[in-house]
Amino acid sequence: QVQLVESGGGLVQAGGSLRLSCAASGRTFGITTMGWFRQAPGKEREFVAAIYWIGGGTYYADSVKGRFTISKDNAKNTLYLQMNSLKPGDTAVYYCAAKRTAVFVTTREYDYWGQGTQVTVSS
């Protein structure tokens, strides 16, 4: 099993920044891809960004391109999401996810999920 623990969420004003972290532990060998998803009240969980653990190729949702940056620290088994120019529409619970296959990385077909961290952007 793989355990994922997110941190870094909070309340921020529109235009501000936050950095989310996700610490991975357990049987992390074989993880190829990690990603961030978010879920706002009354909405489905949606893809935000993903990164290949080896190689570092990245994918972003159109809604966050140019504002969010996904990165990783392989030595620390930690995933990050730097969020700049935040908008009220970014308010959601943000989830870290990991998968062993390197396909369909923008869908919700991930093997492991964290508990989520709340991000609230005030106008």
Side-chain angles (χ1 to χ4, degrees), residues 1-2 8 11 31 34 41 45 52-53 58 65 82 86 90-91 111 117 123:
Q1 285 288 357
V2 174
L11 173 64
I31 294 296
M34 293 191 72
R45 192 171 299 188
Y52 290 128
W53 208 244
T58 58
K65 277 181 184 176
Q82 178 66 44
L86 282 161
D90 295 317
T91 295
D111 302 304
T117 184
S123 56

Side-chain angles (χ1 to χ4, degrees), residues 23-65:
S25 62
R27 300 171 66 90
T28 58
F29 181 80
I31 294 296
T32 65
T33 310
M34 293 191 72
W36 290 99
F37 289 74
R38 66 186 182 186
Q39 187 167 17
K43 295 188 176 181
E44 291 189 351
R45 192 171 299 188
E46 65 175 5
F47 168 77
V48 175
I51 189 167
Y52 290 128
W53 208 244
I54 305 296
T58 58
Y59 294 85
Y60 293 94
D62 288 343
S63 59
V64 306
K65 277 181 184 176

Side-chain angles (χ1 to χ4, degrees), residues 18-22 31-38 46-53 55-61 64-74 78-84 94-99 105-106 110:
L18 280 176
R19 188 194 196 202
L20 305 183
S21 299
C22 172
I31 294 296
T32 65
T33 310
M34 293 191 72
W36 290 99
F37 289 74
R38 66 186 182 186
E46 65 175 5
F47 168 77
V48 175
I51 189 167
Y52 290 128
W53 208 244
T58 58
Y59 294 85
Y60 293 94
V64 306
K65 277 181 184 176
R67 300 188 298 122
F68 291 10
T69 302
I70 189 171
S71 63
K72 60 184 177 65
D73 185 328
N74 292 54
T78 300
L79 178 73
Y80 303 100
L81 185 69
Q82 178 66 44
M83 305 185 294
N84 298 329
Y94 283 71
Y95 297 91
C96 171
K99 64 187 302 180
V105 300
T106 64
Y110 278 67

